[in-house]
Amino acid sequence: MLSGGSDGVIVLYDLENSSRQSYYTCKAVCSIGRDHPDVHRYSVETVQWYPHDTGMFTSSSFDKTLKVWDTNTLQTADVFNFEETVYSHHMSPVSTKHCLVAVGTRGPKVQLCDLKSGSCSHILQGHRQEILAVSWSPRYDYILATASADSRVKLWDVRRASGCLITLDQHNGKKSQAVESANTAHNGKVNGLCFTSDGLHLLTVGTDNRMRLWNSSNGENTLVNYGKVCNNSKKGLKFTVSCGCSSEFVFVPYGSTIAVYTVYSGEQITMLKGHYKTVDCCVFQSNFQELYSGSRDCNILAWVPSLYEPVPDDDETTTKSQLNPAFEDAWSSSDEEG
């Protein structure tokens, strides 16, 4: 696992639980520390493995750079310099046709950097304020979502000259039929974006303490009500959705806790408590079905699904309340129960 800190340091962890204990500490394999010649000078905002090969990863920082690293040597293979602070970057998890990195900065333009040529290939214009979050679709190679402090979320096809496909409208066109540029996704800054694992829907969070679920093909607000989703972040908020679960969940940093909602009903399932200070980011690991969260308390916590404890056969005190509902057997062979 890659981890970036507010001190500019990047650490790689081995997630394997070799001790087989219920509670364990992951070992740091290596790090890019303060004494490294290419270490970021300020806070690391985003780190991401190259989607097709862990031999390379990228990091972006408030020091106005995006760096491409060789994992084996821990040396920079390339550095992209920007005029503004970098809030977020993302590489497409599915693309085999391009190597574009989308970058959101304090400026209103979305930058697209090409790893093959080593240059910023082109710019997407349309937002009016800083770009706080960017995310490629996990379904289509060329579809990109961007969120801005101008209250807008835009979907782009980066192959098109005009670029922008849709500016999401929280009112679904009912309030204003005037021009698309008037559309807003939230009544405040939009600082978080996350596609569902199948790419058919997009979740957004804003400083209006709301989370919204959108149909990513037509841009329609599905009007799912998640209630108040507390969001005081001044920069990008990194939240995540589950993958491989029978019911999809969304995990959102909520102060020093993480709120868990069902994606399509909006029901809040639980609050994960364990951090002592504000949680800034969380990511879901589908292979292990684990959630990882990073906080200002300088800890990264791993969360695993809770399974019921097996009870000895001779103990007759077992009640259904002791079982995780997912493991309850609702089938009956009784003729009376039908």
Side-chain angles (χ1 to χ4, degrees), residues 212-267:
R212 296 205 162 93
L213 179 71
W214 311 82
N215 181 318
S216 58
S217 60
N218 60 16
E220 184 182 15
N221 180 1
T222 63
L223 305 176
V224 173
N225 182 10
Y226 299 94
K228 182 180 179 182
V229 180
C230 186
N231 177 4
N232 299 318
S233 178
K234 301 276 195 302
K235 52 185 184 178
L237 187 74
K238 292 179 170 59
F239 67 105
T240 190
V241 292
S242 66
C243 177
C245 299
S246 55
S247 175
E248 284 201 72
F249 302 101
V250 54
F251 305 91
V252 188
Y254 198 112
S256 63
T257 64
I258 300 160
V260 184
Y261 303 88
T262 51
V263 171
Y264 300 108
S265 74
E267 179 189 359

Side-chain angles (χ1 to χ4, degrees), residues 294-335:
S295 164
R296 294 180 197 178
D297 62 12
C298 301
N299 287 319
I300 298 172
L301 298 183
W303 307 83
V304 298
S306 79
L307 307 176
Y308 70 89
E309 290 293 323
V311 182
D313 292 338
D314 56 354
D315 189 342
E316 295 179 5
T317 60
T318 309
T319 63
K320 281 195 176 180
S321 62
Q322 287 176 276
L323 300 179
N324 181 318
F327 293 92
E328 287 183 17
D329 186 358
W331 178 83
S332 171
S333 60
S334 165
D335 293 335

Side-chain angles (χ1 to χ4, degrees), residues 135-171:
S135 181
W136 291 97
S137 164
R139 193 178 188 89
Y140 302 109
D141 285 28
Y142 294 97
I143 301 300
L144 175 71
T146 58
S148 169
D150 63 7
S151 303
R152 291 173 176 83
V153 173
K154 291 179 180 286
L155 291 174
W156 314 78
D157 182 337
V158 298
R159 295 168 299 183
R160 289 170 37 142
S162 55
C164 186
L165 291 171
I166 311 169
T167 302
L168 300 184
D169 177 18
Q170 60 182 307
H171 306 293

Side-chain angles (χ1 to χ4, degrees), residues 2 48-58 68-69 71-72 90-101 114-116 136-142:
L2 281 168
Q48 186 188 1
W49 291 109
Y50 178 59
H52 308 296
D53 182 3
T54 54
M56 187 167 81
F57 66 89
T58 52
V68 183
W69 300 86
T71 311
N72 298 311
H90 193 229
M91 288 178 282
S92 170
V94 294
S95 177
T96 54
K97 297 169 185 157
H98 69 75
C99 284
L100 297 175
V101 186
D114 190 344
L115 293 182
K116 285 182 179 174
W136 291 97
S137 164
R139 193 178 188 89
Y140 302 109
D141 285 28
Y142 294 97

